Amino acid sequence: MWANNETGTIFPVDLLANMAKKVGALFHTDAVQAVGKLPMDLANSAIDMLSLSGHKLHAPKGIGALYVKRGVRFRPMLRGGHQERGRRAGTENAPAIVGLGKACELARESMSIELTQVAALRDRLERALVEAIPNCFVTGNPANRLPNTANIAFEFIEGEAILLLLNEEGIAASSGSACTSGSLEPSHVMRAMGVPYTAAHGATRFSLSRDTTAEEIDTVIRVMPGIIERLRKLSPYWTNQGATAGFQPVYS
């Protein structure tokens, strides 16, 4: 995984690819989150294979791509027709492929916007919410992450309840990742990071893009404190003075 889909933390995939090469192993990276957000130079990388998904960079849903470096021997689990070199079956979705290509062109042209303006909006959102709401914190590596991802853990409440109230305000967010939606268990990513259950359950991810406006960020900043306050009034771990006395979670 080039970048984590919940926290946006970026991993050293080039370093890992070089380590794989030293022992004669092939290296594949899931770059779904990172493509279009970060500059990549696969021609000068030891990465053998890379997968991406179009909907993450404004292409049509249902289209993706697998990069295979020239000369890398590829053995598919399911074999297809000759038109796909035996690597997959089915007829190509030509309109979606064209859409993916155009989306990649636009993403390359707007890369500087992602790394500057989008990152600035993300930082403003995080800073304002952490300052206005007690007992919440940003997860992930603050110095090495995607410019468009903000994951904030709100203690003593459920993420699903947060999403319901955000939806009433016309705000789309996610609790954990879309891959685990509907599960009552806290995110495995939060648990692996050592985030306590009382905070992991309230982790909420805000995904920004080059189309996100300052006004939209202002709306989230305005309504979020009231939502958290409303939900904490229902929490057995919260009192009018704050967290229940004696409850001191340990953080990694």
PDB file of all heavy atoms in Angstrom, residues 214-231:
ATOM      1  N   ALA A 214     -13.369  26.432   0.204  1.00  0.00           N
ATOM      2  CA  ALA A 214     -13.190  26.958   1.553  1.00  0.00           C
ATOM      3  C   ALA A 214     -14.522  27.058   2.285  1.00  0.00           C
ATOM      4  O   ALA A 214     -14.598  26.850   3.501  1.00  0.00           O
ATOM      5  CB  ALA A 214     -12.519  28.332   1.486  1.00  0.00           C
ATOM      6  N   GLU A 215     -15.585  27.348   1.532  1.00  0.00           N
ATOM      7  CA  GLU A 215     -16.911  27.441   2.138  1.00  0.00           C
ATOM      8  C   GLU A 215     -17.364  26.092   2.684  1.00  0.00           C
ATOM      9  O   GLU A 215     -18.006  26.015   3.746  1.00  0.00           O
ATOM     10  CB  GLU A 215     -17.919  27.952   1.105  1.00  0.00           C
ATOM     11  CG  GLU A 215     -17.747  29.413   0.713  1.00  0.00           C
ATOM     12  CD  GLU A 215     -16.558  29.642  -0.197  1.00  0.00           C
ATOM     13  OE1 GLU A 215     -16.079  28.665  -0.819  1.00  0.00           O
ATOM     14  OE2 GLU A 215     -16.094  30.796  -0.285  1.00  0.00           O
ATOM     15  N   GLU A 216     -17.056  25.016   1.985  1.00  0.00           N
ATOM     16  CA  GLU A 216     -17.402  23.682   2.466  1.00  0.00           C
ATOM     17  C   GLU A 216     -16.649  23.339   3.742  1.00  0.00           C
ATOM     18  O   GLU A 216     -17.202  22.747   4.671  1.00  0.00           O
ATOM     19  CB  GLU A 216     -17.117  22.648   1.372  1.00  0.00           C
ATOM     20  CG  GLU A 216     -18.066  22.751   0.189  1.00  0.00           C
ATOM     21  CD  GLU A 216     -17.648  21.880  -0.975  1.00  0.00           C
ATOM     22  OE1 GLU A 216     -16.443  21.582  -1.099  1.00  0.00           O
ATOM     23  OE2 GLU A 216     -18.530  21.497  -1.765  1.00  0.00           O
ATOM     24  N   ILE A 217     -15.391  23.717   3.793  1.00  0.00           N
ATOM     25  CA  ILE A 217     -14.604  23.502   5.013  1.00  0.00           C
ATOM     26  C   ILE A 217     -15.193  24.310   6.161  1.00  0.00           C
ATOM     27  O   ILE A 217     -15.306  23.823   7.295  1.00  0.00           O
ATOM     28  CB  ILE A 217     -13.136  23.881   4.778  1.00  0.00           C
ATOM     29  CG1 ILE A 217     -12.503  22.962   3.715  1.00  0.00           C
ATOM     30  CG2 ILE A 217     -12.350  23.807   6.076  1.00  0.00           C
ATOM     31  CD1 ILE A 217     -12.485  21.508   4.077  1.00  0.00           C
ATOM     32  N   ASP A 218     -15.587  25.548   5.892  1.00  0.00           N
ATOM     33  CA  ASP A 218     -16.200  26.393   6.923  1.00  0.00           C
ATOM     34  C   ASP A 218     -17.474  25.753   7.471  1.00  0.00           C
ATOM     35  O   ASP A 218     -17.761  25.846   8.670  1.00  0.00           O
ATOM     36  CB  ASP A 218     -16.526  27.773   6.346  1.00  0.00           C
ATOM     37  CG  ASP A 218     -15.284  28.600   6.058  1.00  0.00           C
ATOM     38  OD1 ASP A 218     -14.235  28.301   6.668  1.00  0.00           O
ATOM     39  OD2 ASP A 218     -15.357  29.514   5.224  1.00  0.00           O
ATOM     40  N   THR A 219     -18.238  25.114   6.597  1.00  0.00           N
ATOM     41  CA  THR A 219     -19.478  24.465   7.026  1.00  0.00           C
ATOM     42  C   THR A 219     -19.188  23.335   8.011  1.00  0.00           C
ATOM     43  O   THR A 219     -19.847  23.204   9.049  1.00  0.00           O
ATOM     44  CB  THR A 219     -20.250  23.909   5.820  1.00  0.00           C
ATOM     45  OG1 THR A 219     -20.615  24.998   4.961  1.00  0.00           O
ATOM     46  CG2 THR A 219     -21.509  23.177   6.265  1.00  0.00           C
ATOM     47  N   VAL A 220     -18.204  22.503   7.693  1.00  0.00           N
ATOM     48  CA  VAL A 220     -17.833  21.411   8.607  1.00  0.00           C
ATOM     49  C   VAL A 220     -17.351  21.970   9.942  1.00  0.00           C
ATOM     50  O   VAL A 220     -17.738  21.479  11.013  1.00  0.00           O
ATOM     51  CB  VAL A 220     -16.752  20.524   7.967  1.00  0.00           C
ATOM     52  CG1 VAL A 220     -16.339  19.412   8.945  1.00  0.00           C
ATOM     53  CG2 VAL A 220     -17.238  19.921   6.671  1.00  0.00           C
ATOM     54  N   ILE A 221     -16.524  22.991   9.893  1.00  0.00           N
ATOM     55  CA  ILE A 221     -16.004  23.604  11.121  1.00  0.00           C
ATOM     56  C   ILE A 221     -17.143  24.170  11.966  1.00  0.00           C
ATOM     57  O   ILE A 221     -17.114  24.102  13.202  1.00  0.00           O
ATOM     58  CB  ILE A 221     -14.980  24.707  10.766  1.00  0.00           C
ATOM     59  CG1 ILE A 221     -13.728  24.085  10.122  1.00  0.00           C
ATOM     60  CG2 ILE A 221     -14.600  25.509  12.005  1.00  0.00           C
ATOM     61  CD1 ILE A 221     -12.759  25.101   9.565  1.00  0.00           C
ATOM     62  N   ARG A 222     -18.170  24.684  11.313  1.00  0.00           N
ATOM     63  CA  ARG A 222     -19.287  25.294  12.036  1.00  0.00           C
ATOM     64  C   ARG A 222     -20.190  24.253  12.702  1.00  0.00           C
ATOM     65  O   ARG A 222     -20.610  24.436  13.841  1.00  0.00           O
ATOM     66  CB  ARG A 222     -20.104  26.164  11.069  1.00  0.00           C
ATOM     67  CG  ARG A 222     -21.373  26.743  11.666  1.00  0.00           C
ATOM     68  CD  ARG A 222     -22.061  27.680  10.691  1.00  0.00           C
ATOM     69  NE  ARG A 222     -22.316  27.054   9.407  1.00  0.00           N
ATOM     70  CZ  ARG A 222     -23.358  26.249   9.166  1.00  0.00           C
ATOM     71  NH1 ARG A 222     -24.244  25.981  10.127  1.00  0.00           N
ATOM     72  NH2 ARG A 222     -23.536  25.724   7.959  1.00  0.00           N
ATOM     73  N   VAL A 223     -20.487  23.162  11.998  1.00  0.00           N
ATOM     74  CA  VAL A 223     -21.486  22.221  12.520  1.00  0.00           C
ATOM     75  C   VAL A 223     -20.888  21.098  13.374  1.00  0.00           C
ATOM     76  O   VAL A 223     -21.594  20.514  14.209  1.00  0.00           O
ATOM     77  CB  VAL A 223     -22.303  21.606  11.366  1.00  0.00           C
ATOM     78  CG1 VAL A 223     -22.936  22.684  10.514  1.00  0.00           C
ATOM     79  CG2 VAL A 223     -21.453  20.666  10.514  1.00  0.00           C
ATOM     80  N   MET A 224     -19.619  20.799  13.201  1.00  0.00           N
ATOM     81  CA  MET A 224     -19.041  19.628  13.869  1.00  0.00           C
ATOM     82  C   MET A 224     -19.034  19.737  15.394  1.00  0.00           C
ATOM     83  O   MET A 224     -19.380  18.765  16.087  1.00  0.00           O
ATOM     84  CB  MET A 224     -17.626  19.382  13.346  1.00  0.00           C
ATOM     85  CG  MET A 224     -17.109  17.988  13.610  1.00  0.00           C
ATOM     86  SD  MET A 224     -18.047  16.775  12.664  1.00  0.00           S
ATOM     87  CE  MET A 224     -17.280  15.255  13.218  1.00  0.00           C
ATOM     88  N   PRO A 225     -18.662  20.869  15.981  1.00  0.00           N
ATOM     89  CA  PRO A 225     -18.677  20.942  17.448  1.00  0.00           C
ATOM     90  C   PRO A 225     -20.045  20.649  18.049  1.00  0.00           C
ATOM     91  O   PRO A 225     -20.148  19.956  19.078  1.00  0.00           O
ATOM     92  CB  PRO A 225     -18.237  22.387  17.727  1.00  0.00           C
ATOM     93  CG  PRO A 225     -17.400  22.756  16.553  1.00  0.00           C
ATOM     94  CD  PRO A 225     -18.078  22.095  15.390  1.00  0.00           C
ATOM     95  N   GLY A 226     -21.112  21.139  17.429  1.00  0.00           N
ATOM     96  CA  GLY A 226     -22.453  20.876  17.939  1.00  0.00           C
ATOM     97  C   GLY A 226     -22.830  19.411  17.842  1.00  0.00           C
ATOM     98  O   GLY A 226     -23.497  18.871  18.732  1.00  0.00           O
ATOM     99  N   ILE A 227     -22.417  18.760  16.764  1.00  0.00           N
ATOM    100  CA  ILE A 227     -22.704  17.334  16.598  1.00  0.00           C
ATOM    101  C   ILE A 227     -22.013  16.516  17.677  1.00  0.00           C
ATOM    102  O   ILE A 227     -22.617  15.630  18.302  1.00  0.00           O
ATOM    103  CB  ILE A 227     -22.262  16.874  15.193  1.00  0.00           C
ATOM    104  CG1 ILE A 227     -23.200  17.437  14.138  1.00  0.00           C
ATOM    105  CG2 ILE A 227     -22.199  15.345  15.117  1.00  0.00           C
ATOM    106  CD1 ILE A 227     -22.777  17.129  12.710  1.00  0.00           C
ATOM    107  N   ILE A 228     -20.742  16.811  17.912  1.00  0.00           N
ATOM    108  CA  ILE A 228     -19.990  16.061  18.928  1.00  0.00           C
ATOM    109  C   ILE A 228     -20.573  16.310  20.314  1.00  0.00           C
ATOM    110  O   ILE A 228     -20.727  15.373  21.119  1.00  0.00           O
ATOM    111  CB  ILE A 228     -18.500  16.446  18.889  1.00  0.00           C
ATOM    112  CG1 ILE A 228     -17.908  16.165  17.497  1.00  0.00           C
ATOM    113  CG2 ILE A 228     -17.731  15.697  19.958  1.00  0.00           C
ATOM    114  CD1 ILE A 228     -18.044  14.739  17.044  1.00  0.00           C
ATOM    115  N   GLU A 229     -20.917  17.556  20.611  1.00  0.00           N
ATOM    116  CA  GLU A 229     -21.505  17.870  21.922  1.00  0.00           C
ATOM    117  C   GLU A 229     -22.827  17.139  22.111  1.00  0.00           C
ATOM    118  O   GLU A 229     -23.106  16.593  23.195  1.00  0.00           O
ATOM    119  CB  GLU A 229     -21.708  19.376  22.043  1.00  0.00           C
ATOM    120  CG  GLU A 229     -22.290  19.806  23.386  1.00  0.00           C
ATOM    121  CD  GLU A 229     -22.506  21.305  23.466  1.00  0.00           C
ATOM    122  OE1 GLU A 229     -22.341  21.994  22.422  1.00  0.00           O
ATOM    123  OE2 GLU A 229     -22.841  21.789  24.560  1.00  0.00           O
ATOM    124  N   ARG A 230     -23.643  17.112  21.090  1.00  0.00           N
ATOM    125  CA  ARG A 230     -24.946  16.435  21.165  1.00  0.00           C
ATOM    126  C   ARG A 230     -24.780  14.938  21.438  1.00  0.00           C
ATOM    127  O   ARG A 230     -25.489  14.367  22.285  1.00  0.00           O
ATOM    128  CB  ARG A 230     -25.684  16.649  19.847  1.00  0.00           C
ATOM    129  CG  ARG A 230     -27.011  15.914  19.736  1.00  0.00           C
ATOM    130  CD  ARG A 230     -27.654  16.207  18.388  1.00  0.00           C
ATOM    131  NE  ARG A 230     -28.814  15.378  18.133  1.00  0.00           N
ATOM    132  CZ  ARG A 230     -29.514  15.377  16.998  1.00  0.00           C
ATOM    133  NH1 ARG A 230     -29.160  16.198  16.011  1.00  0.00           N
ATOM    134  NH2 ARG A 230     -30.553  14.570  16.840  1.00  0.00           N
ATOM    135  N   LEU A 231     -23.843  14.314  20.768  1.00  0.00           N
ATOM    136  CA  LEU A 231     -23.649  12.871  20.942  1.00  0.00           C
ATOM    137  C   LEU A 231     -23.005  12.532  22.276  1.00  0.00           C
ATOM    138  O   LEU A 231     -23.319  11.501  22.885  1.00  0.00           O
ATOM    139  CB  LEU A 231     -22.793  12.328  19.791  1.00  0.00           C
ATOM    140  CG  LEU A 231     -23.456  12.361  18.406  1.00  0.00           C
ATOM    141  CD1 LEU A 231     -22.473  11.926  17.322  1.00  0.00           C
ATOM    142  CD2 LEU A 231     -24.688  11.477  18.390  1.00  0.00           C
TER     143      LEU A 231
END
